[in-house]
Amino acid sequence: MFYLLRRAVSGGCEGGSRKHLSLSTKAPYPAPACLSNATVPADLDLIQVQYVLRHGARYEVESGIEYIQEIYTELGDCVPHAWLKPDMVNKTKAAELSTSGYATSAKLGQRMHQRYPELWSRLESNAQTIQFVSSEFQRTIATANAFRSAADPQNQTLPVKVVPLDSDTILAMKLTCPRWAAAKTTVQTQVANEISTFDAIHGAELQAHVSKGLLKHSAHELTTEQIQTMYRLCGYDVSLYNEHSHWCTLFDERTSALLELRSDIRYSRVYGPYGALINQHIACSLFSTIVKDIDQALRNPSTASSIFRFGHAETLMFVSNLLGLDQALGLTAPPITGNMTFEQSLHRGFRTTALVPFSSNLGIELYVDQTSQAFFRLLLNERVVRLTGCTSDVCPLGVLRSKLADDVGCAYADICQA
């Protein structure tokens, strides 16, 4: 029996917010206030969705704990004791999904159930019509399970499939790509030079602003690197504890945007579009899989599988590179530099706060019209994004195929060979 899904419910409304701080990869997920279907023409039918998602809010990774411990030691007498949360220096919790990460993942799963109601109804006839795939990390597996439990309360779907780390070319691809690892090392000098330029221009301003918020001055002048760690603690405060009155009181919109820029100098080169060429193509295996599943759905719409894949911030950044999301999200600009003006920095397309907050996600909705012509709609963090080349939110599938033409079917082992 041939049947299609109706239009998805999506996008169109935003929630209110308090002081807006740009918190880079430690930003909380910006959940929409409501769901709307305003941008999908009535004559289109949804046959499949595929999502790539970042894990929910996690504790600091082990390599970052030493920097937080340094701040706790250096500033223990300069901030209220309540600011010094033991969880943030507890190595037994390092990189694990937090309680708030579980909750946000579950709420996202609930919204996906509401967004695609008839998608879930197909489970009654085939448990494989919705699938969940995760990289082999505690934080991604736990995120996938929390999401699945909330999205499928009747437990009709199959368990989360975990991709072994040593063969993961789609979610934790940086671990199986020697060429990327070599490029990461090569780019460090450029990153350090740009950050040094940034610090020379903005370091004094950041030092003066942060120092005003301390109970008393530190015995030693804070370095910009220490201020960056305090900024990360602000992000963790908000994302893990919904706490805005501790570390975040040291920052305002301008200083947080500057520190996001400082972070993005590195992210945009190590993972983003301004680094080595491999950054532009390392997601080719993932997109080859996505396109294969799209083609299968178009051949057999009644048995199409929708897939939710759970990875990492860098997974989404690599996906963004291949799709050119920096051009879709902001002004076309030169690479992010330490001496770019503040105004330029606000209009750049590569901003990690918007692109890869905790629980970030990118969805591809596949539609057909009454003549079986295929279309897609792209959603970033549940908001519609229009790729370059698209003249409307719902865009001919050929535009996506053209954008991916050089990467679909790639020989991953060959392109990743060091």
Side-chain angles (χ1 to χ4, degrees):
M1 178 180 178
F2 180 88
Y3 63 96
L4 302 173
L5 301 180
R6 295 174 187 167
R7 294 178 295 158
V9 177
S10 179
C13 33
E14 301 293 333
S17 63
R18 60 180 78 208
K19 178 176 68 172
H20 179 72
L21 298 182
S22 301
L23 298 175
S24 188
T25 60
K26 305 303 172 281
Y29 183 66
C34 58
L35 304 176
S36 166
N37 64 357
T39 65
V40 181
D43 61 343
L44 295 182
D45 291 295
L46 177 71
I47 62 172
Q48 181 195 62
V49 300
Q50 295 192 63
Y51 273 81
V52 180
L53 308 95
R54 184 191 180 192
H55 56 75
R58 56 150 175 82
Y59 295 104
E60 179 61 284
V61 296
E62 190 165 349
S63 62
I65 287 177
E66 62 182 277
Y67 297 102
I68 294 176
Q69 186 64 67
E70 177 188 342
I71 291 298
Y72 281 16
T73 301
E74 176 77 19
L75 299 180
D77 296 331
C78 302
V79 299
H81 182 72
W83 292 22
L84 311 178
K85 299 176 180 63
D87 284 347
M88 297 309 302
V89 291
N90 183 347
K91 291 187 177 181
T92 65
K93 290 188 174 183
E96 289 192 353
L97 191 68
S98 67
T99 300
S100 66
Y102 279 99
T104 301
S105 302
K107 289 178 182 177
L108 181 56
Q110 290 172 346
R111 284 198 302 279
M112 290 296 170
H113 187 99
Q114 296 168 0
R115 189 182 301 281
Y116 308 112
E118 294 191 35
L119 186 71
W120 304 95
S121 69
R122 292 176 58 178
L123 288 170
E124 297 175 3
S125 58
N126 184 354
Q128 297 193 55
T129 56
I130 299 178
Q131 301 175 24
F132 306 92
V133 182
S134 172
S135 67
E136 195 180 16
F137 286 85
Q138 185 275 342
R139 56 189 178 272
T140 51
I141 296 171
T143 295
N145 281 322
F147 180 101
R148 173 180 175 268
S149 295
D152 177 27
Q154 297 183 17
N155 196 28
Q156 296 175 288
T157 53
L158 298 177
V160 174
K161 177 183 177 181
V162 178
V163 183
L165 285 182
D166 61 1
S167 60
D168 191 344
T169 65
I170 63 170
L171 294 170
M173 58 278 272
K174 72 176 186 180
L175 301 179
T176 59
C177 189
R179 178 170 290 180
W180 177 84
K184 177 185 177 183
T185 300
T186 302
V187 80
Q188 294 307 315
T189 298
Q190 185 186 65
V191 170
N193 289 340
E194 292 296 340
I195 287 179
S196 178
T197 298
F198 174 95
D199 290 350
I201 296 171
H202 301 290
E205 176 188 350
L206 292 168
Q207 166 71 36
H209 186 90
V210 170
S211 294
K212 288 191 302 183
L214 300 177
L215 295 178
K216 62 179 182 179
H217 289 295
S218 171
H220 306 283
E221 183 174 297
L222 293 171
T223 66
T224 314
E225 200 63 46
Q226 288 175 317
I227 294 172
Q228 188 87 37
T229 300
M230 297 158 73
Y231 163 77
R232 287 168 64 86
L233 284 167
C234 165
Y236 281 123
D237 264 0
V238 177
S239 293
L240 272 63
Y241 308 106
N242 193 29
E243 177 57 73
H244 299 258
S245 61
H246 292 175
W247 294 102
C248 289
T249 60
L250 300 177
F251 306 100
D252 58 13
E253 293 186 15
R254 176 179 168 84
T255 51
S256 70
L258 284 172
L259 288 163
E260 180 200 35
L261 171 60
R262 191 176 189 271
S263 299
D264 287 357
I265 289 172
R266 175 179 176 272
Y267 286 128
S268 67
R269 287 167 171 79
V270 175
Y271 304 110
Y274 305 133
L277 183 62
I278 186 62
N279 291 7
Q280 303 284 345
H281 302 287
I282 192 173
C284 69
S285 183
L286 171 57
F287 272 107
S288 295
T289 302
I290 288 172
V291 170
K292 179 181 177 181
D293 290 331
I294 286 174
D295 290 339
Q296 177 64 30
L298 292 174
R299 285 193 296 269
N300 299 289
S302 63
T303 59
S305 292
S306 292
I307 305 172
F308 297 87
R309 298 177 174 93
F310 296 83
H312 307 266
E314 60 267 23
T315 312
L316 272 294
M317 284 189 265
F318 291 146
V319 165
S320 170
N321 298 339
L322 207 155
L323 291 176
L325 284 188
D326 60 314
Q327 299 174 40
L329 296 174
L331 298 177
T332 302
I336 297 169
T337 60
N339 63 356
M340 69 191 311
T341 68
F342 185 68
E343 185 65 24
Q344 286 176 326
S345 75
L346 294 179
H347 294 287
R348 69 187 190 274
F350 187 94
R351 294 193 68 174
T352 46
T353 301
L355 182 62
V356 285
F358 285 126
S359 296
S360 51
N361 53 86
L362 185 133
I364 300 174
E365 299 174 342
L366 179 63
Y367 294 89
V368 294
D369 65 11
Q370 301 306 308
T371 66
S372 296
Q373 293 296 306
F375 299 83
F376 77 99
R377 185 172 71 159
L378 197 69
L379 292 91
L380 176 66
N381 300 329
E382 302 178 81
R383 282 86 170 168
V384 175
V385 175
R386 187 180 298 183
L387 287 184
T388 54
C390 292
T391 58
S392 61
D393 292 344
V394 180
C395 187
L397 184 61
V399 174
L400 182 62
R401 289 191 187 278
S402 178
K403 192 170 289 290
L404 302 177
D406 293 337
D407 291 276
V408 169
C410 68
Y412 182 84
D414 291 341
I415 71 163
C416 279
Q417 184 176 2

